[in-house]
Amino acid sequence: MNNTLKRKLLAGQPALGVSVMLPSPHVVDMAGRLGFDWVLLDCEHGSITPEGLETMVMAAEASGITPIARPPTNTPDAVLRVMDRGVLGVQVPHVNTADDAKRAVESVKYYPLGSRGLGAGIRSAGYGFGVTMEEYVKRANQETLVCVQLEEVEALRNLDQILRVEGVDVFFLGPSDLAQSMGYPGRADAPEVQAALNSAFATIVAAGKVPGSAGNANAVSNYARQGVKYLYTHLTTILASAASDFRLKAGLEKH
């Protein structure tokens, strides 16, 4: 268990990932071979089952890319189901209060840092082969990453309190849901939304914490200039951009 993503973030380095919603270990394998630092396995919006998630984690391990999962909800059972498959962290949706953030941490960490259920023979513990449960718990508490998604107006109002929660590694701002929460669905580029994002990024950086966000190449570049380290784009965004670029260069633009 070696979370290279967490190592990069702790060293103050940016890390670029790709979000995958489809149950495909092959896509994860390719993402690792293409040089991405980590992969977000989206179990909130995608069609990834627990069995599919497990094989995608195996592909991530084989290709040297860090697997992070987004559970469907911020509940102990939802987090447990993805963590036990072997992911090295979670990106928990809709965290609006300090109590929400504490619940996320407690769901990921074992005692004494949390209350995650401890099962013998689970894949995240290597099935219990060659490691004691005590050793596994210590290592898991060190290596697992907790990212909380701040994607509603309420979360920004409570940002100062959320930033004080111990055990949170990344404070992720979700542009799409934030825009909707602010009354601009589908308009993450609205000036009011961008101003809210920029202000929140500055607050997170000033607190000495790691901010995160996602978007297309232009958005990611802009976020990186503001000190955002945990960055990703979506598989569909990459495919759309690459397809358009290919047709343009081939002189076969679609009319």
Side-chain angles (χ1 to χ4, degrees):
M1 183 183 292
N2 184 23
N3 194 332
T4 56
L5 165 62
K6 190 169 183 177
R7 293 282 173 274
K8 290 194 74 169
L9 296 176
L10 287 173
Q13 300 173 1
L16 181 61
V18 58
S19 171
V20 179
M21 300 169 64
L22 307 172
S24 172
H26 303 84
V27 168
V28 174
D29 188 28
M30 286 188 279
R33 294 170 188 270
L34 288 170
F36 286 94
D37 298 301
W38 62 283
V39 60
L40 177 64
L41 307 174
D42 192 345
C43 301
E44 180 189 16
H45 294 295
S47 56
I48 302 172
T49 64
E51 295 82 5
L53 178 65
E54 201 159 71
T55 58
M56 293 172 82
V57 171
M58 292 178 183
E61 293 168 350
S63 62
I65 189 171
T66 301
I68 302 296
R70 175 155 57 189
T73 58
N74 181 17
T75 57
D77 58 334
V79 172
L80 179 67
R81 284 175 68 83
V82 298
M83 290 301 301
D84 280 1
R85 306 286 73 76
V87 298
L88 291 179
V90 291
Q91 182 174 313
V92 181
H94 300 292
V95 170
N96 289 318
T97 66
D99 285 341
D100 290 344
K102 290 175 185 175
R103 184 165 64 252
V105 174
E106 290 172 356
S107 297
V108 170
K109 304 295 183 178
Y110 294 114
Y111 178 88
L113 303 180
S115 55
R116 175 181 167 190
L118 180 58
I122 55 177
R123 187 174 187 282
S124 60
Y127 310 106
F129 301 153
V131 63
T132 67
M133 291 298 278
E134 184 179 12
E135 291 169 333
Y136 161 66
V137 166
K138 181 179 179 180
R139 187 70 172 161
N141 277 350
Q142 290 174 342
E143 295 296 321
T144 49
L145 178 143
V146 179
C147 170
V148 295
Q149 287 191 198
L150 315 176
E151 46 192 340
E152 295 172 45
V153 172
E154 182 183 0
L156 297 192
R157 292 196 191 106
N158 296 322
L159 182 56
D160 289 339
Q161 290 79 17
I162 295 172
L163 287 170
R164 297 192 189 105
V165 176
E166 294 186 10
V168 177
D169 299 292
V170 178
F171 299 84
F172 177 90
L173 299 180
S176 296
D177 275 316
L178 178 61
Q180 177 170 251
S181 177
M182 294 178 66
Y184 299 94
R187 289 283 317 285
D189 60 344
E192 292 82 357
V193 178
Q194 287 299 304
L197 288 170
N198 296 342
S199 175
F201 288 143
T203 299
I204 296 168
V205 171
K209 304 296 184 178
V210 178
S213 200
N216 60 25
N218 290 333
V220 166
S221 177
N222 176 46
Y223 299 149
R225 287 193 296 271
Q226 298 181 71
V228 180
K229 304 298 184 185
Y230 177 97
L231 299 155
Y232 73 86
T233 191
H234 301 276
L235 174 65
T236 49
T237 300
I238 295 173
L239 289 174
S241 176
S244 177
D245 184 60
F246 185 91
R247 295 188 69 94
L248 180 63
K249 290 180 178 178
L252 296 170
E253 296 89 345
K254 192 170 183 178
H255 300 290

